[in-house]
Amino acid sequence: MTPYMVGEVHFYSTEIDGELVLFDTGPPTPEGRAVLESAVDLKRLRHIFVTHCHVDHYGQAAYLAEHSDAEIYFPRQDVLRLERLKEWIAGVHRLLRAAGFPEEYCVRLKHLFLSQDMLAPTPRRYRVVEESEVPARLGIEVIACPGHSQSDLVYRYQGEAVTGDVLLREIFQSPSLDLDVETFDGRFRNYEAYCASLVKLAALEGEKILPSHRQYLPSVNAALLFYVRKLIDRAGQVKRYAGVDLVSEVVRQIFGPSLTNPFVIYLKASEIYFMRDFLAAPHLLQQALETADLFGPVADLFHGVVDE
């Protein structure tokens, strides 16, 4: 069990040319640490590759830095965020205020982002995945697939792919509202990034997918179509509020006063931005789906929302 809405969290290990490799670390909970220590020989661990720095994926990284000799590899965008954390928090605060959320809410969410529920200790040592020669030496392909977060990486090795949160079975993984950490100015455009990532993910069809949540993924295409259908369907609901300028007001009108959890409110705001970006440029998703030969199964739903 975990304290997260998504439920169980997975990490994966393998041995490559005598070097023990770990993908993700699990959450920073006593139960997570116990499972990790029972499953992985920390004395032999050499490399730790993180798919993205959400707390349930890198939560044990600091502990592993102290209790193993393994090198820890973080995605580049996560390193930019962690090394300028105060600026990042301030930037997300600005985005939420611009969306119409009151100062009191933004402060509550800031405290949540900085709490142990959302932020794991940063290890004393780590490297940037994209700047390291180690993955290529080990035969691991690193594929940038942003969308859920701006740092999402997929690790592909000999017919298997560790996909983090970008490919999950029957889960619509919310695209996080985030500051663009390349510029620290303005919103990261999840929707445009996802359209490019979709084509890369579709190319994994036939591989064995190792997701971070749920036990298996029978088909990459099925997972992509599930996600796209949810995106289009929810965009149809958001379209009804096209005349409402502020995202905070759209959240209030759709979900009403019963929605009080600050993090769930943040997730819903994130989704509304994503849906609005889709409605503003639906051709990007259509082009990506056509490239992946996946547009046919969703064409009627797509046109029903976009053309109405």
Side-chain angles (χ1 to χ4, degrees):
M1 296 294 294
T2 75
Y4 310 112
M5 291 183 292
V6 75
E8 292 185 354
V9 182
H10 306 307
F11 58 81
Y12 299 93
S13 64
T14 190
E15 191 165 313
I16 304 174
D17 296 332
E19 298 183 55
L20 187 59
V21 179
L22 179 67
F23 298 94
D24 282 347
T25 73
T29 62
E31 296 83 359
R33 182 172 299 173
V35 172
L36 182 64
E37 290 182 325
S38 67
V40 178
D41 185 350
L42 302 189
K43 294 180 180 179
R44 297 186 55 243
L45 187 59
R46 292 294 172 264
H47 307 285
I48 302 164
F49 295 105
V50 173
T51 59
H52 63 298
C53 286
H54 285 177
V55 69
D56 51 334
H57 297 265
Y58 85 110
Q60 297 293 342
Y63 178 81
L64 291 171
E66 298 298 328
H67 293 84
S68 79
D69 295 326
E71 288 285 355
I72 299 169
Y73 304 86
F74 283 170
R76 177 176 174 273
Q77 284 83 0
D78 281 323
V79 171
L80 292 173
R81 175 176 61 88
L82 291 170
E83 293 185 348
R84 298 171 64 180
L85 187 60
K86 289 184 179 180
E87 292 178 68
W88 176 79
I89 288 286
V92 174
H93 190 110
R94 290 194 303 272
L95 293 176
L96 291 166
R97 292 291 283 141
F101 288 99
E103 180 70 15
E104 180 270 339
Y105 167 78
C106 296
V107 171
R108 287 173 62 203
L109 192 65
K110 172 185 175 179
H111 291 322
L112 181 60
F113 279 153
L114 292 173
S115 73
Q116 61 183 5
D117 292 331
M118 298 289 295
L119 185 69
T122 301
R124 58 182 172 80
R125 53 181 174 81
Y126 54 83
R127 300 176 64 182
V128 177
V129 177
E130 296 91 333
E131 296 176 2
S132 173
E133 78 292 344
V134 171
R137 177 176 65 78
L138 295 174
I140 299 171
E141 182 182 2
V142 180
I143 309 170
C145 294
H148 167 62
S149 75
Q150 61 186 301
S151 57
D152 294 309
L153 297 179
V154 169
Y155 297 103
R156 188 181 190 184
Y157 177 72
Q158 293 190 351
E160 299 183 338
V162 179
T163 57
D165 284 350
V166 298
L167 284 174
L168 300 176
R169 179 170 58 91
E170 297 182 350
I171 297 176
F172 184 84
Q173 55 273 33
S174 293
S176 304
L177 172 63
D178 203 353
L179 184 71
D180 186 336
V181 297
E182 296 292 343
T183 63
F184 273 75
D185 180 30
R187 178 168 61 91
F188 172 65
R189 311 295 289 197
N190 302 72
Y191 168 66
E192 290 89 338
Y194 177 75
C195 290
S197 296
L198 187 152
V199 177
K200 300 178 190 178
L201 294 170
L204 298 175
E205 181 68 28
E207 306 266 309
K208 182 178 181 180
I209 302 301
L210 305 174
S212 289
H213 310 284
R214 304 285 173 97
Q215 292 298 326
Y216 66 92
L217 194 69
S219 166
V220 170
N221 288 345
L224 292 172
L225 288 171
F226 173 87
Y227 189 90
V228 168
R229 288 189 178 103
K230 288 290 185 182
L231 160 60
I232 298 171
D233 180 66
R234 294 184 185 185
Q237 300 175 46
V238 170
K239 191 174 184 179
R240 301 170 191 166
Y241 301 89
V244 180
D245 183 45
L246 294 176
V247 167
S248 60
E249 180 61 17
V250 178
V251 173
R252 188 191 69 80
Q253 291 195 27
I254 292 177
F255 300 101
S258 62
L259 188 62
T260 58
N261 183 301
F263 186 64
V264 176
I265 291 172
Y266 163 75
L267 292 180
K268 295 307 178 184
S270 299
E271 290 185 17
I272 289 167
Y273 270 113
F274 193 67
M275 309 310 166
R276 284 187 159 184
D277 287 345
F278 159 66
L279 292 168
H283 66 282
L284 295 179
L285 181 62
Q286 181 174 349
Q287 290 169 358
L289 290 167
E290 288 175 343
T291 300
D293 197 26
L294 291 174
F295 186 65
V298 297
D300 290 345
L301 180 63
F302 179 94
H303 288 301
V305 169
V306 171
D307 299 338
E308 69 175 2

